[in-house]
Amino acid sequence: MVTLKQLAKELNVSISTVSKALNNSEEIGKETIKRVKELAELYNYKPNKVALSLKQNRTNTIGVIIPDILNHFLSKVLFGIEREASLHGYNIMTCISNESLEKEKESLQLLANGSVDGFILCVSEETQIKNEIEHFKQTIKQGLPIVMFDRVAHDVLCDKVIVDDFDATYRATKNLLDENRKQIAFMSNIDDLSVGKLRERGYNKAILESQDYKPLVLNIKKEDNAQDKIIAFMKKHKNIDAVISADSASGVIAINVATSLGLKVPKDISVIGFSSQSVSNHSIPRLTTIRQHAKEIGANAAQMLIKRLQNITGEPYDFKTKIVKTSLVKNGSTL
């Protein structure tokens, strides 16, 4: 690779002059800038990013850690992060924790070693179950800010981006009660996660406020066959006339199971699920969805981190939690 020193020697100028010319400094004459750039292009000169980051004490790179790359919601958040980061001149380096606490720790250690300026992450399932947060606190102590999104560790002092999980299921349940539904079931395969717990609480509050009905909950474990569990549940509770799903899969399965049991959707049973528009296409009729606006979550997370990284004054300011409002997108599975 050609270096600044080699360019300077060939042009018979100082290394400082070459550097300033490549950066269009006003201290350097137009003719010199032209000569330097022409030679740099001839030799295909590229700045040494590692040396530059050491000199500037920043990498202009954001570390992103997500639990599951195959999760459609997380993929769209990642898209939103990358797009917003790129607009501000930042690159991203992405690691996948695969819902593992150990992999999450390894990713933080790997990237915290001078590779990134800060982190955007969604906490892994194992981390939430074990309630381990020390690795996050240690990273922040190193001077690397963290922004958490969706699944967050509430005891870690950092910026966060979440959706209104509790209010979303509360409003969705109220919507079903307004349809005059009497036996509304709640299905979830994420009851170990903070977001799953909040969604179940929102449902419970709406049901208990109605006073006439009792909560009816099906929690599906990782090792379970979701379809078999939902079939057995709906056969046992034959009077179910509505379902709210806390995750993207259970709602679609519930529609397909209801149809196989001879129920008409939405005449006999209504179904609402947390999902994206693309996932809702996997059922007939299409699933009415609670949309989380994943790209907006990603953009907000990137904005919050970049604002903290570019804090010119250096004065600390309070950590914030940004709540992105969900929206109910009515399709064919509700009246």
Side-chain angles (χ1 to χ4, degrees):
M1 284 180 64
V2 175
T3 64
L4 286 178
K5 188 176 181 180
Q6 288 169 298
L7 292 176
K9 186 177 180 182
E10 188 156 336
L11 290 164
N12 198 25
V13 296
S14 68
I15 294 171
S16 174
T17 298
V18 173
S19 177
K20 287 176 180 178
L22 289 170
N23 287 291
N24 298 313
S25 171
E26 292 180 357
E27 298 174 39
I28 309 299
K30 288 182 180 179
E31 186 58 36
T32 303
I33 290 174
K34 184 170 179 281
R35 284 174 58 223
V36 169
K37 286 192 173 181
E38 282 176 352
L39 189 65
E41 188 175 346
L42 178 68
Y43 287 131
N44 196 26
Y45 168 77
K46 296 286 186 294
N48 185 326
K49 289 189 176 181
V50 174
L52 194 63
S53 69
L54 287 170
K55 185 179 178 181
Q56 296 176 340
N57 201 27
R58 58 188 173 87
T59 65
N60 273 29
T61 303
I62 293 168
V64 181
I65 304 174
I66 60 174
D68 181 2
I69 193 61
L70 298 177
N71 182 296
H72 190 69
F73 165 73
L74 293 173
S75 298
K76 288 177 78 173
V77 174
L78 183 62
F79 178 90
I81 292 169
E82 195 284 328
R83 185 170 59 181
E84 189 66 26
S86 183
L87 288 174
H88 292 85
Y90 283 80
N91 297 308
I92 68 168
M93 291 180 72
T94 307
C95 289
I96 317 300
S97 70
N98 283 328
E99 304 290 12
S100 159
L101 169 62
E102 202 53 44
K103 275 185 171 288
E104 187 174 79
K105 287 180 178 179
E106 287 172 5
S107 298
L108 281 169
Q109 288 170 1
L110 174 72
L111 297 181
N113 194 19
S115 298
V116 300
D117 299 331
F119 288 94
I120 297 172
L121 61 88
C122 177
V123 177
S124 77
E125 182 177 1
E126 188 181 1
T127 303
Q128 287 213 315
I129 292 169
K130 292 184 176 178
N131 195 28
E132 284 207 33
I133 57 173
E134 198 55 38
H135 53 303
F136 299 133
K137 290 183 175 180
Q138 287 300 323
T139 302
I140 292 167
K141 276 183 185 175
Q142 285 179 247
L144 293 164
I146 290 176
V147 175
M148 294 182 178
F149 70 89
D150 191 46
R151 307 180 208 162
V152 302
H154 293 289
D155 292 332
V156 177
L157 292 175
C158 67
D159 295 313
K160 301 176 178 82
V161 186
I162 59 174
V163 298
D164 55 339
D165 291 292
F166 180 94
D167 287 339
T169 43
Y170 176 81
R171 291 194 309 269
T173 307
K174 286 285 192 185
N175 189 281
L176 292 172
L177 288 166
D178 288 342
E179 283 187 17
N180 204 29
R181 300 298 182 178
K182 295 178 172 23
Q183 289 294 318
I184 304 170
F186 179 83
M187 298 180 182
S188 172
N189 64 14
I190 54 169
D191 62 296
D192 285 330
L193 304 178
S194 57
V195 291
K197 289 179 172 68
L198 284 167
R199 291 170 193 179
E200 187 173 337
R201 284 177 202 155
Y203 157 81
N204 283 333
K205 184 172 188 281
I207 293 293
L208 294 171
E209 276 181 0
S210 70
Q211 296 184 335
D212 298 324
Y213 314 115
K214 289 182 180 178
L216 190 59
V217 176
L218 171 65
N219 285 319
I220 304 161
K221 299 300 178 186
K222 257 187 177 179
E223 60 273 15
D224 293 335
N225 181 307
Q227 183 159 313
D228 289 347
K229 289 278 286 189
I230 291 172
I231 289 171
F233 185 76
M234 292 182 73
K235 281 182 175 179
K236 182 180 177 182
H237 303 281
K238 290 186 170 63
N239 55 351
I240 291 173
D241 58 4
V243 170
I244 289 187
S245 156
D247 58 274
S248 60
S250 300
V252 170
I253 295 171
I255 289 175
N256 294 334
V257 168
T259 304
S260 72
L261 294 174
L263 298 171
K264 292 182 179 177
V265 183
K267 182 182 176 184
D268 301 323
I269 184 169
S270 286
V271 184
I272 297 174
F274 268 83
S275 188
S276 65
Q277 283 295 86
S278 57
V279 174
S280 73
N281 292 330
H282 293 294
S283 64
I284 300 174
R286 286 176 63 198
L287 177 67
T288 290
T289 59
I290 298 169
R291 285 193 64 197
Q292 297 166 269
H293 306 289
K295 292 175 190 174
E296 187 181 335
I297 291 170
N300 273 285
Q303 287 165 12
M304 291 175 90
L305 182 62
I306 291 165
K307 183 182 177 184
R308 203 162 279 280
L309 292 173
Q310 296 180 345
N311 180 16
I312 298 168
T313 63
E315 291 293 320
Y317 58 92
D318 291 342
F319 295 110
K320 294 179 180 176
T321 296
K322 168 79 176 176
I323 300 174
V324 175
K325 287 284 183 185
T326 55
S327 54
L328 187 66
V329 181
K330 292 197 173 189
N331 289 316
S333 68
T334 49
L335 293 172

PDB file of all heavy atoms in Angstrom, residues 205-220:
ATOM      1  N   LYS A 205     -54.986  -6.607  32.131  1.00  0.00           N
ATOM      2  CA  LYS A 205     -55.627  -5.399  32.655  1.00  0.00           C
ATOM      3  C   LYS A 205     -56.959  -5.133  31.950  1.00  0.00           C
ATOM      4  O   LYS A 205     -57.980  -4.850  32.594  1.00  0.00           O
ATOM      5  CB  LYS A 205     -54.710  -4.180  32.495  1.00  0.00           C
ATOM      6  CG  LYS A 205     -55.273  -2.884  33.105  1.00  0.00           C
ATOM      7  CD  LYS A 205     -54.220  -1.785  33.078  1.00  0.00           C
ATOM      8  CE  LYS A 205     -54.704  -0.559  33.850  1.00  0.00           C
ATOM      9  NZ  LYS A 205     -55.651   0.284  33.114  1.00  0.00           N
ATOM     10  N   ALA A 206     -56.956  -5.241  30.627  1.00  0.00           N
ATOM     11  CA  ALA A 206     -58.185  -4.993  29.862  1.00  0.00           C
ATOM     12  C   ALA A 206     -59.267  -6.013  30.202  1.00  0.00           C
ATOM     13  O   ALA A 206     -60.444  -5.666  30.353  1.00  0.00           O
ATOM     14  CB  ALA A 206     -57.880  -5.017  28.363  1.00  0.00           C
ATOM     15  N   ILE A 207     -58.870  -7.295  30.329  1.00  0.00           N
ATOM     16  CA  ILE A 207     -59.838  -8.354  30.659  1.00  0.00           C
ATOM     17  C   ILE A 207     -60.422  -8.154  32.060  1.00  0.00           C
ATOM     18  O   ILE A 207     -61.643  -8.234  32.266  1.00  0.00           O
ATOM     19  CB  ILE A 207     -59.180  -9.753  30.553  1.00  0.00           C
ATOM     20  CG1 ILE A 207     -58.831 -10.072  29.096  1.00  0.00           C
ATOM     21  CG2 ILE A 207     -60.094 -10.835  31.135  1.00  0.00           C
ATOM     22  CD1 ILE A 207     -59.999 -10.259  28.165  1.00  0.00           C
ATOM     23  N   LEU A 208     -59.551  -7.874  33.022  1.00  0.00           N
ATOM     24  CA  LEU A 208     -60.010  -7.724  34.409  1.00  0.00           C
ATOM     25  C   LEU A 208     -60.867  -6.474  34.593  1.00  0.00           C
ATOM     26  O   LEU A 208     -61.772  -6.457  35.423  1.00  0.00           O
ATOM     27  CB  LEU A 208     -58.810  -7.701  35.365  1.00  0.00           C
ATOM     28  CG  LEU A 208     -58.038  -9.031  35.436  1.00  0.00           C
ATOM     29  CD1 LEU A 208     -56.750  -8.873  36.234  1.00  0.00           C
ATOM     30  CD2 LEU A 208     -58.909 -10.136  36.037  1.00  0.00           C
ATOM     31  N   GLU A 209     -60.582  -5.434  33.808  1.00  0.00           N
ATOM     32  CA  GLU A 209     -61.403  -4.217  33.866  1.00  0.00           C
ATOM     33  C   GLU A 209     -62.833  -4.478  33.394  1.00  0.00           C
ATOM     34  O   GLU A 209     -63.770  -3.821  33.830  1.00  0.00           O
ATOM     35  CB  GLU A 209     -60.783  -3.111  32.997  1.00  0.00           C
ATOM     36  CG  GLU A 209     -59.696  -2.323  33.691  1.00  0.00           C
ATOM     37  CD  GLU A 209     -59.122  -1.223  32.821  1.00  0.00           C
ATOM     38  OE1 GLU A 209     -59.579  -1.062  31.661  1.00  0.00           O
ATOM     39  OE2 GLU A 209     -58.223  -0.527  33.282  1.00  0.00           O
ATOM     40  N   SER A 210     -62.974  -5.457  32.486  1.00  0.00           N
ATOM     41  CA  SER A 210     -64.313  -5.752  31.951  1.00  0.00           C
ATOM     42  C   SER A 210     -65.200  -6.406  33.007  1.00  0.00           C
ATOM     43  O   SER A 210     -66.425  -6.386  32.907  1.00  0.00           O
ATOM     44  CB  SER A 210     -64.206  -6.692  30.745  1.00  0.00           C
ATOM     45  OG  SER A 210     -63.813  -7.988  31.166  1.00  0.00           O
ATOM     46  N   GLN A 211     -64.575  -7.025  34.021  1.00  0.00           N
ATOM     47  CA  GLN A 211     -65.254  -7.647  35.173  1.00  0.00           C
ATOM     48  C   GLN A 211     -66.077  -8.894  34.814  1.00  0.00           C
ATOM     49  O   GLN A 211     -66.273  -9.782  35.638  1.00  0.00           O
ATOM     50  CB  GLN A 211     -66.155  -6.636  35.904  1.00  0.00           C
ATOM     51  CG  GLN A 211     -65.353  -5.488  36.518  1.00  0.00           C
ATOM     52  CD  GLN A 211     -66.219  -4.537  37.319  1.00  0.00           C
ATOM     53  OE1 GLN A 211     -67.429  -4.421  37.086  1.00  0.00           O
ATOM     54  NE2 GLN A 211     -65.602  -3.834  38.252  1.00  0.00           N
ATOM     55  N   ASP A 212     -66.553  -8.989  33.602  1.00  0.00           N
ATOM     56  CA  ASP A 212     -67.384 -10.129  33.203  1.00  0.00           C
ATOM     57  C   ASP A 212     -66.568 -11.356  32.792  1.00  0.00           C
ATOM     58  O   ASP A 212     -67.101 -12.462  32.717  1.00  0.00           O
ATOM     59  CB  ASP A 212     -68.295  -9.738  32.031  1.00  0.00           C
ATOM     60  CG  ASP A 212     -69.248  -8.614  32.409  1.00  0.00           C
ATOM     61  OD1 ASP A 212     -69.707  -8.604  33.565  1.00  0.00           O
ATOM     62  OD2 ASP A 212     -69.506  -7.743  31.554  1.00  0.00           O
ATOM     63  N   TYR A 213     -65.278 -11.160  32.506  1.00  0.00           N
ATOM     64  CA  TYR A 213     -64.484 -12.253  31.941  1.00  0.00           C
ATOM     65  C   TYR A 213     -63.216 -12.494  32.749  1.00  0.00           C
ATOM     66  O   TYR A 213     -62.775 -11.645  33.532  1.00  0.00           O
ATOM     67  CB  TYR A 213     -64.124 -11.943  30.478  1.00  0.00           C
ATOM     68  CG  TYR A 213     -65.297 -11.445  29.674  1.00  0.00           C
ATOM     69  CD1 TYR A 213     -65.314 -10.150  29.151  1.00  0.00           C
ATOM     70  CD2 TYR A 213     -66.408 -12.261  29.452  1.00  0.00           C
ATOM     71  CE1 TYR A 213     -66.401  -9.683  28.421  1.00  0.00           C
ATOM     72  CE2 TYR A 213     -67.497 -11.798  28.731  1.00  0.00           C
ATOM     73  CZ  TYR A 213     -67.489 -10.508  28.225  1.00  0.00           C
ATOM     74  OH  TYR A 213     -68.562 -10.051  27.512  1.00  0.00           O
ATOM     75  N   LYS A 214     -62.594 -13.661  32.511  1.00  0.00           N
ATOM     76  CA  LYS A 214     -61.336 -14.012  33.164  1.00  0.00           C
ATOM     77  C   LYS A 214     -60.258 -14.229  32.099  1.00  0.00           C
ATOM     78  O   LYS A 214     -60.562 -14.676  30.995  1.00  0.00           O
ATOM     79  CB  LYS A 214     -61.504 -15.281  33.999  1.00  0.00           C
ATOM     80  CG  LYS A 214     -62.347 -15.082  35.254  1.00  0.00           C
ATOM     81  CD  LYS A 214     -62.421 -16.374  36.050  1.00  0.00           C
ATOM     82  CE  LYS A 214     -63.271 -16.163  37.310  1.00  0.00           C
ATOM     83  NZ  LYS A 214     -63.387 -17.428  38.086  1.00  0.00           N
ATOM     84  N   PRO A 215     -58.996 -13.923  32.440  1.00  0.00           N
ATOM     85  CA  PRO A 215     -57.908 -14.156  31.475  1.00  0.00           C
ATOM     86  C   PRO A 215     -57.795 -15.632  31.094  1.00  0.00           C
ATOM     87  O   PRO A 215     -58.030 -16.517  31.927  1.00  0.00           O
ATOM     88  CB  PRO A 215     -56.662 -13.702  32.230  1.00  0.00           C
ATOM     89  CG  PRO A 215     -57.157 -12.769  33.285  1.00  0.00           C
ATOM     90  CD  PRO A 215     -58.508 -13.285  33.671  1.00  0.00           C
ATOM     91  N   LEU A 216     -57.441 -15.870  29.839  1.00  0.00           N
ATOM     92  CA  LEU A 216     -57.270 -17.227  29.317  1.00  0.00           C
ATOM     93  C   LEU A 216     -55.950 -17.225  28.548  1.00  0.00           C
ATOM     94  O   LEU A 216     -55.867 -16.685  27.439  1.00  0.00           O
ATOM     95  CB  LEU A 216     -58.445 -17.571  28.394  1.00  0.00           C
ATOM     96  CG  LEU A 216     -58.599 -19.020  27.916  1.00  0.00           C
ATOM     97  CD1 LEU A 216     -58.746 -19.974  29.083  1.00  0.00           C
ATOM     98  CD2 LEU A 216     -59.813 -19.121  26.981  1.00  0.00           C
ATOM     99  N   VAL A 217     -54.895 -17.807  29.168  1.00  0.00           N
ATOM    100  CA  VAL A 217     -53.535 -17.630  28.648  1.00  0.00           C
ATOM    101  C   VAL A 217     -52.898 -18.959  28.253  1.00  0.00           C
ATOM    102  O   VAL A 217     -52.965 -19.939  28.995  1.00  0.00           O
ATOM    103  CB  VAL A 217     -52.649 -16.915  29.701  1.00  0.00           C
ATOM    104  CG1 VAL A 217     -51.203 -16.813  29.211  1.00  0.00           C
ATOM    105  CG2 VAL A 217     -53.211 -15.533  30.026  1.00  0.00           C
ATOM    106  N   LEU A 218     -52.255 -18.963  27.071  1.00  0.00           N
ATOM    107  CA  LEU A 218     -51.458 -20.101  26.621  1.00  0.00           C
ATOM    108  C   LEU A 218     -50.026 -19.632  26.396  1.00  0.00           C
ATOM    109  O   LEU A 218     -49.768 -18.804  25.516  1.00  0.00           O
ATOM    110  CB  LEU A 218     -52.011 -20.683  25.311  1.00  0.00           C
ATOM    111  CG  LEU A 218     -51.130 -21.750  24.640  1.00  0.00           C
ATOM    112  CD1 LEU A 218     -51.030 -23.001  25.510  1.00  0.00           C
ATOM    113  CD2 LEU A 218     -51.650 -22.101  23.244  1.00  0.00           C
ATOM    114  N   ASN A 219     -49.095 -20.128  27.224  1.00  0.00           N
ATOM    115  CA  ASN A 219     -47.676 -19.839  27.037  1.00  0.00           C
ATOM    116  C   ASN A 219     -46.999 -21.034  26.384  1.00  0.00           C
ATOM    117  O   ASN A 219     -47.094 -22.157  26.871  1.00  0.00           O
ATOM    118  CB  ASN A 219     -47.007 -19.513  28.376  1.00  0.00           C
ATOM    119  CG  ASN A 219     -47.376 -18.116  28.860  1.00  0.00           C
ATOM    120  OD1 ASN A 219     -47.431 -17.175  28.064  1.00  0.00           O
ATOM    121  ND2 ASN A 219     -47.635 -17.967  30.145  1.00  0.00           N
ATOM    122  N   ILE A 220     -46.338 -20.780  25.273  1.00  0.00           N
ATOM    123  CA  ILE A 220     -45.706 -21.836  24.473  1.00  0.00           C
ATOM    124  C   ILE A 220     -44.198 -21.780  24.677  1.00  0.00           C
ATOM    125  O   ILE A 220     -43.583 -20.726  24.472  1.00  0.00           O
ATOM    126  CB  ILE A 220     -46.054 -21.667  22.976  1.00  0.00           C
ATOM    127  CG1 ILE A 220     -47.578 -21.653  22.778  1.00  0.00           C
ATOM    128  CG2 ILE A 220     -45.401 -22.756  22.133  1.00  0.00           C
ATOM    129  CD1 ILE A 220     -48.028 -21.048  21.467  1.00  0.00           C
TER     130      ILE A 220
END
